[in-house]
Amino acid sequence: MTTQPESRDRTRKATGPAGTGATLGRWFNATNLRHDAWNRIRNSAERVQRGAAGRSEGRLRAEVVEAFDLLEPIELYWAFPGKHVLADLRKRWRAGDAETVAKGADRVVRLLASDAYRRRDTTGRSSPIEPESRAARTDRLAIGLPAESRPYFEVLVVGELSAAEEAEVRAGLLDLRRDEDEFVYDVLVVPSLEDALIATLINYNIQSCVLRYQFPLRAGRRLEVLQSYLAPLGPHDVAERLEGEGIALGALLRELRPELDLFQVTDAPIEEIAGNTRRAFNRIFYRQEDYPELHLSILKGVNERFRTPFFSALKSYSQKPTGVFHAMPLSRGKSIARSHWIHDMGRFYGANIFLAETSATTGGLDSLLQPQGPLKEAQEAAARAFGSRKTFFVTNGTSSANKIVSHALVRPGDIVLVARDCHKSHHYAIQLSGARAVYMDPFPLHAVSMYGAVPLREIKRHLLELERDGNLSRVRMLMLTNCTFDGLTYNPERVMEEVLAIKPDMIFLWDEAWFAFARFHPTLRRRTAMATARRLRQRFKSSEYRERYQAWRERFEREGGDGCERRLDERLMPDPDRARVRVYATQSTHKTLTALRQGSMIHIYDQDYEQHVAEAFTSAYMTYTSTSPNYQILASLDVGRRQVELEGYELVQRSIEMATTLRRKINGNPLLRRYFRVLGPHELVPSAHRPSGIEEYNDAGGGWGPMESAWQEDEIVLDPTRLTLHVGLTGMDGDTFKNLLIDEYDTQINKTSRNTVLFMVHIGTGRGAAAHLIEVLCRIAEELDERLEDQNEQDRRIHEQKVRALTEELPPLPNFSSFHERFRETGSSTPQGDMRAASFLAYDTEACEYLPLDGSLRSEMERGREVVSAGFVTPYPPGFPVLVPGQVISEEILAYLKALDVKEIHGYRPEYGIRVFTEKALAPSD
């Protein structure tokens, strides 16, 4: 995990090369530690320069030396300001030049804080203290965009080089840069394999890695916080995985940051390396080859990711003079320009959005329904970025993406296992397909009035019951949301392995609407659908897995065989000769990455796609995709892909850091603790699904905690970027608190429960927004303090009753009841139901009636009638159907609906009641 834990012992000292005494207690990330150290150098050096005297001067000088010691191992991993600038300033400090050190450190701090060093040529300077040029200023446009500049990146060279050799390598590459290059880069050299791994995880500027000849495995003595960057590699010693150093390092870098371009420079004979690179490297260079080819290859690799085929085509089209005689009067802005009444629309949106608008059948911009040009290239680039075998763009949201996948793969009569808390689009998709739904209940979180995730044991139980009933062959698909809106994240590898051990041809649909960003962080990536599918495919093909499977199978049969209870309790292994890796993921790109609203993607890793799915998928895609797709959405998906391939790791890492800071600030503030609490893993994931024992992220006593271990081992984990804030002690329910935030404090959120609100920290969340949130919560807490102090006894009792209702007297969370026997299969003991039949029966108005919640519905249930819902009933929150067509209304569901105080319930009309089937409609036919 690259967001690093604070020290468990907050008094423990960091051990840098010079034995620095800086504590790591407040640090979870070496980048923050680095920024703080440069700030300390600036501030202390300035005070020394101004003439601090006596004991104060001695303390300040010691602080500067301590900060230099702390930075020495960290600046090894950055080209700017880097070890050379650090050494220069340290030399000046020893010479007594406090003024130059203060100015130099001040310039470093400002360039780092503003990221301005990434918009200027820093590579020709030995010191950062020269004045900035006019072009380097960080003037911002109205929406915060920096001035136009060439993108900057860093090239990592791995090799044990002398100072003279390092200077030669740097000069050999940097001298080849030209003003007409699209990008500008600097060169960073590290000596060892461990250093290379740490550099790629700590330094998000690195876009290319060059591995030279031989290099040692181990780094020199380093700060503990840097060594912990190796945690994503797993619990095993790094050296155990590193035979054939260059190839092994290439494989590890591909695993940690798959977007990087990797090059190897070798002096080994070609016959020794041919066929052994395992596709780890973009290109192999030989010692005698010169720098120009390497330089051009570096630029080419970055340019491949920088290219946006469709966005570029759209920009080019917008610049052509075009006579419009097709549909769409808005195209080229003509209908606006000719209007006397809607000029304000043109001024608000600007010219480009209209110049880039055209009919889907004209303009040479490709067809989404049958792409052959830039759209095809854009989708192929997205597949590369997200690790899929195929990717499709969707312009009408993930609701449609889910329906496309279901329509393509599920047939009438198939059985689909679906988490009950899946987005409503999955329920509608099952209804449309004519499949039989088996609903699986997530574990309830009664204390916070929300549902969690479906335990693996629950999934296996349903599969084994279907097998026992003779229906396993009809099971077609498993639908799960990963991660959930609230951040609960499955272990897809464990789920898919054990499910494939029971049902080898199962198709998996992972709804990753809220998880698209996870691909671009090494810890989170391992729990994404595409990364897991690729890993399983490779594993099942390996001889090592076959041996392990055979040994497991022999032991399993020897100890009792395939009994149902035995398979529930045992960790199962799929047969590699039978298991098929068939995985689909739908992502709301616009929810967690950069894309216009409704911009989504479907990612596919299906071994059987070309043979059995391609035609059906094309038909389903055309069924739900408009013949007039929004080109602006498509272009935004193309650009969003470019962004995450080049800076996704940095942006996601910063999101985790920001969320960690907010969690610590809120839970650690005495004022806020009286009313608020950011819930931790121990409050959202039951201990049975959390064997790591992790309780908090970055708590005061234990630091970040064993997060990396949890993400490797636990059945269910909590996404660190989701902050579920418990607000019950305020006396306000979640919906009321949400409205207070937007009405009084201009703060928007999406999700609430009865006593919580959810804050999503994403790649667009800045420090200003985080500071604003803390300030808002403090103001609300102060106002509550004042109000409670001024209340009379009666008002205080009313407030206390509200708090009890939100913290103790919570409504029950019902499980799925059952389908009525009219919509069940005759003679089946398993719970699948036919929602499509129920939905079409509900078209007959004489088959339905309305029953109010308070009154006749209760009375009908008390007299023994099975009351059956005629449609979907979906409260917001929780945002998924509490009732589906054909479902029996249970006592628990009725109690839950009566206890809800939300204003938005789809499928429920308060003036009428719930629409249900009449008893006559459900009576057996003669």
Side-chain angles (χ1 to χ4, degrees):
M1 175 67 195
T2 59
T3 299
Q4 296 308 314
E6 296 188 83
S7 171
R8 285 193 176 276
D9 177 0
R10 298 181 69 82
T11 64
R12 183 170 58 188
K13 306 297 182 182
T15 54
T20 169
T23 64
L24 294 181
R26 55 180 295 207
W27 301 109
F28 57 88
N29 178 268
T31 306
N32 287 355
L33 180 61
R34 177 187 186 224
H35 288 186
D36 182 77
W38 278 110
N39 268 299
R40 278 193 285 155
I41 292 174
R42 177 188 63 180
N43 297 338
S44 298
E46 284 179 350
R47 292 178 64 185
V48 169
Q49 176 199 352
R50 290 198 300 267
R55 185 178 302 174
S56 177
E57 180 184 4
R59 178 177 56 80
L60 292 171
R61 288 187 177 277
E63 285 184 1
V64 172
V65 172
E66 183 182 89
F68 275 130
D69 289 342
L70 195 61
L71 283 169
E72 188 172 331
I74 296 177
E75 287 301 333
L76 289 174
Y77 303 116
W78 299 84
F80 179 84
K83 61 184 180 182
H84 299 294
V85 167
L86 181 71
D88 178 55
L89 291 178
R90 187 164 201 163
K91 180 179 178 181
R92 292 171 187 260
W93 177 256
R94 288 169 177 161
D97 190 355
E99 179 181 3
T100 299
V101 172
K103 288 182 179 179
D106 178 67
R107 184 59 52 83
V108 169
V109 167
R110 288 192 291 112
L111 290 173
L112 289 177
S114 65
D115 272 348
Y117 75 96
R118 298 163 81 170
R119 295 186 294 277
R120 54 181 281 159
D121 182 5
T122 60
T123 59
R125 304 176 185 271
S126 60
S127 172
I129 61 176
E130 301 174 32
E132 292 176 285
S133 67
R134 182 180 182 87
R137 295 176 184 172
T138 57
D139 296 334
R140 302 270 173 164
L141 302 180
I143 62 171
L145 296 175
E148 189 72 24
S149 62
R150 291 187 294 170
Y152 164 87
F153 66 94
E154 295 178 6
V155 176
L156 176 68
V157 176
V158 185
E160 196 171 26
L161 307 178
S162 66
E165 289 172 328
E166 179 179 334
E168 179 188 349
V169 169
R170 283 178 51 80
L173 287 171
L174 298 183
D175 289 348
L176 292 168
R177 298 178 310 163
R178 301 171 300 170
D179 290 340
E180 55 267 33
D181 290 340
E182 285 190 87
F183 318 107
V184 60
Y185 67 82
D186 201 350
V187 176
L188 167 69
V189 180
V190 297
S192 75
L193 185 145
E194 277 190 350
D195 285 315
L197 293 172
I198 293 172
T200 54
L201 291 171
I202 193 177
N203 184 349
Y204 33 73
N205 290 327
I206 293 172
Q207 296 291 343
S208 298
C209 299
V210 181
L211 279 55
R212 288 172 55 91
Y213 316 131
Q214 299 296 313
F215 38 81
L217 298 178
R218 297 296 185 186
R221 195 177 181 195
R222 297 286 183 264
L223 286 174
E224 179 187 343
V225 72
L226 299 182
Q227 290 292 340
S228 59
Y229 272 75
L230 301 177
L233 300 177
H236 303 296
D237 191 283
V238 174
E240 295 178 2
R241 305 178 59 181
L242 300 177
E243 297 178 3
E245 298 151 9
I247 296 173
L249 177 56
L252 282 175
L253 293 176
R254 280 274 181 250
E255 182 180 331
L256 292 174
R257 289 187 60 185
E259 75 277 10
L260 297 182
D261 296 313
L262 304 181
F263 304 97
Q264 185 175 31
V265 179
T266 182
D267 55 1
I270 188 171
E271 62 271 12
E272 292 185 13
I273 64 169
N276 293 325
T277 58
R278 304 175 192 172
R279 299 182 180 178
F281 297 100
N282 295 52
R283 182 171 172 180
I284 308 294
F285 292 93
Y286 289 88
R287 186 171 223 166
Q288 63 269 24
E289 295 189 76
D290 53 9
Y291 290 108
E293 286 299 311
L294 178 57
H295 166 76
L296 293 174
S297 297
I298 289 170
L299 293 181
K300 177 185 177 183
V302 173
N303 186 61
E304 281 296 310
R305 286 177 278 149
F306 188 80
R307 286 183 65 249
T308 47
F310 187 74
F311 177 56
S312 298
L314 192 63
K315 287 194 298 180
S316 177
Y317 167 79
S318 71
Q319 296 165 7
K320 294 179 180 178
T322 305
V324 177
F325 292 95
H326 57 70
M328 297 184 64
L330 187 68
S331 180
R332 315 296 293 181
K334 299 296 186 181
S335 62
I336 295 175
R338 296 176 61 83
S339 172
H340 298 289
W341 295 93
I342 62 172
H343 288 165
D344 54 340
M345 180 182 180
R347 287 191 294 270
F348 179 78
Y349 284 106
N352 282 341
I353 192 171
F354 305 113
L355 290 172
E357 194 61 85
T358 182
S359 170
T361 57
T362 64
L365 289 175
D366 212 355
S367 165
L368 182 60
L369 294 176
Q370 195 172 11
Q372 301 294 328
L375 262 176
K376 182 175 182 290
E377 294 178 38
Q379 291 182 144
E380 289 171 348
R384 176 190 67 217
F386 287 89
S388 69
R389 299 179 75 173
K390 284 188 176 295
T391 287
F392 293 85
F393 289 172
V394 180
T395 60
N396 46 348
T398 305
S399 294
S400 291
N402 290 331
K403 292 170 189 171
I404 289 168
V405 175
S406 293
H407 187 132
L409 293 160
V410 178
R411 302 157 298 195
D414 284 345
I415 294 175
V416 174
L417 274 65
V418 56
R420 180 164 168 264
D421 63 338
C422 275
H423 186 264
K424 67 178 184 178
S425 58
H426 293 283
H427 306 269
Y428 284 109
I430 296 171
Q431 173 196 18
L432 289 169
S433 71
R436 306 298 189 261
V438 171
Y439 280 110
M440 305 178 297
D441 289 309
F443 55 75
L445 297 166
H446 296 289
V448 289
S449 294
M450 66 175 66
Y451 290 89
V454 180
L456 177 56
R457 186 182 176 88
E458 175 81 353
I459 299 170
K460 291 166 65 177
R461 181 181 67 80
H462 280 291
L463 281 171
L464 294 172
E465 288 178 355
L466 288 161
E467 180 185 59
R468 185 181 58 213
D469 202 46
N471 281 318
L472 187 62
S473 61
R474 293 175 54 198
V475 176
R476 182 75 169 168
M477 180 180 285
L478 173 66
M479 295 177 175
L480 292 172
T481 303
N482 194 45
C483 66
T484 69
F485 206 152
D486 301 294
L488 295 178
T489 307
Y490 290 91
N491 185 336
E493 182 174 323
R494 177 81 181 271
V495 171
M496 289 198 279
E497 275 194 329
E498 296 217 43
V499 168
L500 288 173
I502 300 170
K503 173 72 174 171
D505 59 346
M506 178 73 87
I507 301 171
F508 298 89
L509 172 53
W510 293 96
D511 185 335
E512 294 183 345
W514 303 98
F515 210 42
F517 68 95
R519 169 73 186 177
F520 305 97
H521 194 278
T523 296
L524 279 57
R525 184 187 307 117
R526 68 168 59 96
R527 293 198 174 223
T528 62
M530 293 297 103
T532 304
R534 185 177 296 272
R535 196 161 58 245
L536 289 180
R537 177 79 187 275
Q538 293 171 348
R539 181 177 304 162
F540 294 161
K541 290 163 60 177
S542 72
S543 58
E544 178 187 358
Y545 177 81
R546 289 179 177 277
E547 292 173 3
R548 286 197 298 114
Y549 169 76
Q550 191 60 38
W552 171 83
R553 187 75 221 177
E554 291 173 0
R555 178 192 60 78
F556 185 70
E557 292 176 349
R558 186 171 59 250
E559 293 178 359
D562 288 344
C564 180
E565 287 300 318
R566 175 81 190 288
R567 285 191 285 171
L568 273 177
D569 297 328
E570 178 88 10
R571 179 164 184 169
L572 306 178
M573 293 182 69
D575 183 344
D577 291 325
R578 300 180 61 212
R580 306 293 293 171
V581 178
R582 310 194 63 190
V583 184
Y584 293 75
T586 54
Q587 292 179 349
S588 295
T589 316
H590 64 102
K591 283 187 169 74
T592 62
L593 298 177
T594 299
L596 292 177
R597 190 175 183 85
Q598 294 197 58
S600 297
M601 296 186 192
I602 300 171
H603 303 299
I604 300 173
Y605 200 106
D606 183 353
Q607 287 181 258
D608 295 341
Y609 180 84
E610 295 296 341
Q611 300 93 328
H612 303 299
V613 180
E615 293 297 329
F617 190 92
T618 299
S619 176
Y621 191 73
M622 291 190 175
T623 300
Y624 294 95
T625 300
S626 171
T627 54
S628 300
N630 186 305
Y631 277 168
Q632 319 308 324
I633 295 176
L634 293 172
S636 73
L637 289 171
D638 196 15
V639 174
R641 185 275 314 158
R642 174 213 279 176
Q643 180 181 39
V644 291
E645 271 204 295
L646 289 165
E647 57 182 347
Y649 171 65
E650 172 187 359
L651 296 173
V652 176
Q653 172 71 10
R654 287 184 170 177
S655 299
I656 296 174
E657 294 167 15
M658 187 71 65
T660 302
T661 299
L662 280 169
R663 187 182 296 272
R664 186 177 67 246
K665 294 291 186 183
I666 294 171
N667 287 347
N669 186 301
L671 170 63
L672 297 182
R673 280 205 306 264
R674 290 203 285 272
Y675 302 104
F676 306 113
R677 184 177 79 259
V678 179
L679 302 180
H682 70 293
E683 294 167 289
L684 295 174
V685 182
S687 58
H689 312 299
R690 190 169 33 88
S692 70
I694 188 171
E695 294 195 354
E696 293 287 351
Y697 291 156
N698 195 41
D699 69 325
W704 183 274
M707 179 174 173
E708 184 62 35
S709 173
W711 276 73
Q712 289 184 12
E713 301 170 11
D714 285 359
E715 179 185 341
I716 296 165
V717 292
L718 178 63
D719 172 9
T721 69
R722 308 298 169 90
L723 304 179
T724 298
L725 187 72
H726 193 282
V727 299
L729 294 176
T730 66
M732 289 180 275
D733 61 74
D735 195 56
T736 301
F737 195 84
K738 170 185 174 180
N739 292 331
L740 173 68
L741 289 175
I742 184 59
D743 294 339
E744 300 294 332
Y745 300 102
D746 299 322
T747 299
Q748 295 180 333
I749 60 172
N750 289 111
K751 170 79 164 52
T752 68
S753 76
R754 182 166 175 77
N755 55 15
T756 70
V757 295
L758 176 69
F759 294 95
M760 295 179 59
V761 181
H762 48 63
I763 67 171
T765 305
R767 294 181 179 179
H772 175 67
L773 174 59
I774 297 294
E775 178 64 23
V776 165
L777 294 178
C778 286
R779 288 170 62 184
I780 293 173
E782 289 168 352
E783 291 173 4
L784 284 167
D785 274 353
E786 292 179 3
R787 189 183 311 159
L788 290 173
E789 288 175 4
D790 297 341
Q791 282 181 345
N792 58 39
E793 186 175 346
Q794 180 63 27
D795 288 337
R796 186 175 293 276
R797 282 200 298 268
I798 293 172
H799 173 77
E800 290 172 352
Q801 176 53 42
K802 289 180 179 178
V803 171
R804 280 196 300 274
L806 293 169
T807 57
E808 301 173 22
E809 302 165 1
L810 297 164
L813 294 174
N815 286 333
F816 184 82
S817 52
S818 64
F819 287 103
H820 186 271
E821 63 180 17
R822 168 72 184 271
F823 308 109
R824 297 273 299 278
E825 296 173 357
T826 303
S828 175
S829 62
T830 47
Q832 65 268 21
D834 187 351
M835 285 193 291
R836 186 179 187 182
S839 299
F840 279 109
L841 178 60
Y843 283 17
D844 182 356
T845 56
E846 294 183 358
C848 302
E849 61 181 323
Y850 286 95
L851 295 179
L853 285 177
D854 295 320
S856 54
L857 195 152
R858 161 66 63 187
S859 300
E860 290 295 302
M861 292 177 66
E862 287 178 349
R863 73 174 180 84
R865 173 182 170 183
E866 274 196 316
V867 182
V868 180
S869 176
F872 291 98
V873 177
T874 308
Y876 281 81
F880 63 84
V882 173
L883 290 169
V884 301
Q887 182 183 350
V888 175
I889 302 176
S890 66
E891 291 283 351
E892 292 78 13
I893 292 173
L894 179 60
Y896 179 76
L897 290 172
K898 291 179 68 175
L900 285 174
D901 51 11
V902 299
K903 299 177 178 62
E904 185 177 355
I905 305 179
H906 296 179
Y908 171 66
R909 302 178 65 178
E911 67 275 23
Y912 291 167
I914 291 182
R915 192 166 186 251
V916 301
F917 289 113
T918 64
E919 290 184 280
K920 180 179 178 181
L922 296 175
S925 56
D926 294 334

